[in-house]
Amino acid sequence: MQAKADEALEASVTEQAAEPASSPDGGRIPGPPMPGIPDPDAPEDDPGVEIFDPDELDALVRGDSPSAPQMRPGSRCTGTIVALGRSGVIVSFGAKVEGRVAIEEFRDPTGEIRAEVGQEIEVLFERLGRPGEYAVLSYRRAREAAAWKQIEVAHAQNLPLQARVVQRVKGGLRVDIGVAAFLPGSQVDIRPVRNLDAWIGKTVEVVVVECNRRRSNAVVSRGELLRAERQARMAETLATLKVGEPATGVVKNITTYGAFVDLGGIDGLIKITELSYGRVANPSDLLETGQEVTAKVLRIDPERERVALSLRAMRPDPWVTIEERYKEGDRVTGKVASVTDYGAFIELEPGVEGLIHVTEISWSRRTKHPSKTFEPSSLTEAIVLGVKPADRRISLSFKRLAPDPWDQYGTSLEVGLVVEGVVRRITTYGLFVEIVEGIEGLVHVSDLSWDTRLRNPRDVAQKGQKINTVILQVDTENRRLSLGVKQLEPDTWDTFLSQNAVGDTVPGLVRRLVKFGAFVELAPGVEALCHRSQSPQGRGGLRVGNRYAFRILDVNERARRIGLRCNRAVPLPEPTEAAD
């Protein structure tokens, strides 16, 4: 049978030699192939070229050849590329044996062919060809078989693999680890990844978490690898960190309440209060992402994986020697750090702030918001009132930059002196009148008018109005001043008593009735009592709003009391303008 095959092959070769070469338009290279070099683009059933020695190939398949192991479909072997064509690559394997691999199996993801003559590669033997044909080989399947073996070993031993991200798929990414594998979106990184498309084309290191060769299923994770690396780095870092010692790291993230620093596998937090001894409005004013910082370790919590750091502790505390630099009565200059409802904070130096309380802004008693006097970031002067290092407080005064008006004008204030002032406040019990900036006096409601019927101070004056007052009392020690308005006019009691005496009959207007009698107005500001025993009873009794004739029974000048009697309840006519 072998003799017949040899005869057929020889006839085929002779017939092929007699055929003319195809034209360039036919896609074939003109002329016969060079001796000893096969044509990779020739059809596999074209016996025009002696491709292999059938005896040698049979020996390889049987395992009789001393130059190669036994060849069976699915066996892998090493060969050398001997020729490249447009559709295939010729690979020499064994002894004088060649096979053909489809050119597409050498194309990389970018579309380029990665094959060179003389390159040694591993291929998978798929099947024999008929006499005169190339053996069918697969470069891709050989690589996949080697890749699966590597994947299985990596899965068993938890070894990392290089993976190239190919495309985004539902739920994650498709990656190439020699074979197609799935990388879930939740396993791309330790932190959630919002833009998976940005990972396409990148090469990352992963570990195999699921592997099923029969189903060609492989699931990988980058997060598992990162977590393992982080745990290893964290354990190493925690072994070197000590409370009270400095630690160096890189600012990883900045928030409104502080900054996170990567110490190497573990994050440390520098709270906003630990950034500086001074006031810090926003941590980003002092730090930026990626900046290397050295901070002092305050606390370590290995279970919760937390480390507390302090940046300000790396510098001397300015409050320790504060009393050496600031003493009571010193005149200082600082920058307005912030303004609140109760005062203004003044930065005297980095880490040292003093408070000007709202009561120390002006000598005036008028309530004025601190923002009317101070503007943030502006410079201002102040007087040191007190220093408390233990409480980290310095009390300042702005009003004491000017003399105390009580020291300046207090000696000139005398009882009985008529002064002009401005109504600054109105309360239910009186008016506060500022006679000099920083000096206010109170006009009590009882000193507003001789008329006892006056109950509302707003009936006398309004806020911001200028009025004349009389100084009634001066208390320089307690900075208090009593003023009066009614004292500017004669006392109506004195005027009435100088014109009337006990036994005289005078007209009076009944203002109100009570159980024990009636209150009668004899003159503006002069009120007397007509007891019920001294007034008519029954229908002929007194009525509110009517005028009657009353007789003065008794007078108490000290108590300002007058007793009256009304014999007949006959109303008097209203007084005319001429009579008034």
Side-chain angles (χ1 to χ4, degrees):
M1 293 180 64
Q2 184 63 42
K4 291 183 179 180
D6 293 343
E7 291 177 1
L9 179 60
E10 184 178 355
S12 177
V13 171
T14 304
E15 182 180 348
Q16 178 67 27
E19 293 181 0
S22 300
S23 66
D25 296 337
R28 295 284 305 275
I29 300 176
M34 295 181 64
I37 301 298
D39 183 5
D41 292 325
E44 294 189 5
D45 56 352
D46 184 2
V49 179
E50 183 178 355
I51 298 176
F52 56 80
D53 185 346
D55 293 335
E56 177 64 20
L57 186 54
D58 289 341
L60 286 172
V61 176
R62 292 193 307 268
D64 298 339
S65 174
S67 60
Q70 183 176 1
M71 299 296 294
R72 293 191 179 92
S75 298
R76 286 187 295 166
C77 62
T78 301
T80 303
I81 297 177
V82 296
L84 301 176
R86 289 186 297 272
S87 60
V89 174
I90 305 304
V91 179
S92 174
F93 65 100
K96 300 181 181 180
V97 179
E98 294 167 347
R100 184 176 183 274
V101 181
I103 193 68
E104 289 300 321
E105 297 192 16
F106 291 90
R107 194 179 299 278
D108 66 7
T110 63
E112 294 186 15
I113 301 298
R114 299 293 183 180
E116 297 179 359
V117 175
Q119 179 181 349
E120 192 175 81
I121 61 173
E122 190 177 54
V123 294
L124 185 138
F125 178 77
E126 292 188 338
R127 59 183 173 83
L128 292 173
R130 291 177 296 178
E133 294 181 350
Y134 290 109
V136 180
L137 307 177
S138 176
Y139 177 53
R140 178 182 57 79
R141 292 183 60 191
R143 284 185 301 160
E144 289 182 354
W148 274 111
K149 184 175 181 180
Q150 184 182 15
I151 292 170
E152 290 172 344
V153 172
H155 183 221
Q157 301 180 12
N158 198 32
L159 300 176
L161 294 175
Q162 293 293 321
R164 187 179 57 81
V165 181
V166 177
Q167 68 178 122
R168 179 175 179 177
V169 295
K170 183 178 180 181
L173 299 170
R174 185 169 69 86
V175 298
D176 182 7
I177 55 174
V179 297
F182 176 63
L183 174 59
S186 60
Q187 297 299 317
V188 175
D189 205 338
I190 296 177
R191 301 179 183 275
V193 177
R194 300 186 182 275
N195 185 14
L196 291 176
D197 292 329
W199 290 79
I200 298 176
K202 292 184 178 181
T203 299
V204 296
E205 209 170 42
V206 297
V207 291
V208 182
V209 293
E210 290 184 25
C211 174
N212 190 325
R213 184 172 182 177
R214 292 183 59 187
R215 296 184 178 181
S216 297
N217 179 40
V219 180
V220 297
S221 170
R222 181 172 176 265
E224 288 288 336
L225 187 61
L226 294 178
R227 279 186 282 271
E229 292 176 352
R230 179 183 175 186
Q231 289 294 329
R233 291 198 309 271
M234 183 180 65
E236 183 180 350
T237 301
L238 286 175
T240 60
L241 292 179
K242 293 182 180 179
V243 175
E245 296 293 328
T248 302
V250 177
V251 178
K252 184 177 181 181
N253 186 29
I254 298 177
T255 66
T256 55
Y257 55 86
F260 288 92
V261 179
D262 184 4
L263 301 174
I266 189 171
D267 290 345
L269 173 62
I270 306 177
K271 290 186 177 180
I272 189 171
T273 55
E274 293 295 334
L275 288 173
S276 172
Y277 286 110
R279 183 185 299 269
V280 179
N282 194 323
S284 59
D285 295 338
L286 298 180
L287 300 174
E288 59 183 18
T289 304
Q291 178 182 349
E292 184 176 275
V293 295
T294 300
K296 188 175 182 179
V297 179
L298 300 181
R299 293 180 302 278
I300 300 176
D301 189 348
E303 294 183 359
R304 302 175 67 183
E305 300 180 2
R306 292 183 179 178
V307 178
L309 303 174
S310 174
L311 193 60
R312 72 176 188 175
M314 298 298 295
R315 295 182 290 273
D317 188 350
W319 286 94
V320 175
T321 57
I322 195 70
E323 290 180 304
E324 299 175 4
R325 300 188 300 280
Y326 301 97
K327 295 178 175 57
E328 184 177 347
D330 287 353
R331 191 185 187 102
V332 295
T333 302
K335 183 176 69 173
V336 179
S338 64
V339 180
T340 66
D341 293 338
Y342 54 87
F345 287 92
I346 312 300
E347 184 183 45
L348 303 178
E349 62 181 70
V352 176
E353 291 183 1
L355 172 64
I356 300 178
H357 194 265
V358 64
T359 58
E360 290 294 331
I361 293 178
S362 173
W363 289 110
S364 176
R365 290 179 177 270
R366 284 178 291 167
T367 303
K368 194 175 182 180
H369 196 275
S371 61
K372 302 292 184 180
T373 305
F374 301 102
E375 184 177 350
S377 300
S378 63
L379 293 177
T380 185
E381 289 186 319
I383 301 296
V384 177
L385 298 182
V387 180
K388 296 181 180 180
D391 298 331
R392 308 176 80 86
R393 292 181 181 177
I394 295 182
S395 299
L396 303 175
S397 174
F398 182 74
K399 71 181 184 182
R400 297 177 194 271
L401 293 170
D404 186 347
W406 277 94
D407 295 338
Q408 197 172 8
Y409 303 103
T411 56
S412 62
L413 300 177
E414 298 179 354
V415 175
L417 182 67
V418 177
V419 292
E420 184 184 52
V422 179
V423 178
R424 295 302 185 188
R425 288 182 294 159
I426 301 178
T427 65
T428 56
Y429 52 86
L431 305 175
F432 284 92
V433 180
E434 185 180 53
I435 60 173
V436 177
E437 186 174 0
I439 299 180
E440 284 186 1
L442 172 64
V443 181
H444 194 268
V445 65
S446 61
D447 290 314
L448 288 174
S449 174
W450 292 112
D451 189 351
T452 57
R453 292 173 297 170
L454 182 66
R455 293 290 182 268
N456 191 345
R458 287 183 172 81
D459 295 338
V460 177
Q462 299 298 319
K463 186 176 180 180
Q465 179 182 342
K466 288 185 178 182
I467 61 172
N468 290 327
T469 61
V470 178
I471 298 177
L472 304 180
Q473 185 179 0
V474 180
D475 186 353
T476 306
E477 183 177 354
N478 295 314
R479 277 22 182 199
R480 291 181 179 177
L481 188 65
S482 295
L483 304 174
V485 173
K486 72 180 184 180
Q487 287 79 5
L488 294 171
E489 300 176 355
D491 189 344
T492 54
W493 274 85
D494 295 339
T495 302
F496 180 82
L497 293 179
S498 65
Q499 299 174 356
N500 300 279
V502 175
D504 291 349
T505 300
V506 294
L509 176 65
V510 177
R511 286 295 184 184
R512 61 187 187 279
L513 298 176
V514 294
K515 290 183 179 181
F516 51 84
F519 284 97
V520 181
E521 182 183 56
L522 302 179
V526 179
E527 199 170 67
L529 173 65
C530 181
H531 196 270
R532 61 181 300 177
S533 62
Q534 303 296 332
S535 62
Q537 303 296 319
R539 291 186 177 182
L542 302 177
R543 294 184 179 181
V544 175
N546 289 342
R547 289 180 176 272
Y548 302 93
F550 295 93
R551 183 180 180 184
I552 299 175
L553 297 181
D554 61 84
V555 176
N556 187 335
E557 294 186 23
R558 177 175 295 181
R560 292 183 176 248
R561 292 178 181 176
I562 298 177
L564 302 175
R565 175 189 293 173
C566 182
N567 292 328
R568 293 187 304 169
V570 178
L572 298 175
E574 291 294 326
T576 63
E577 294 184 0
D580 292 340

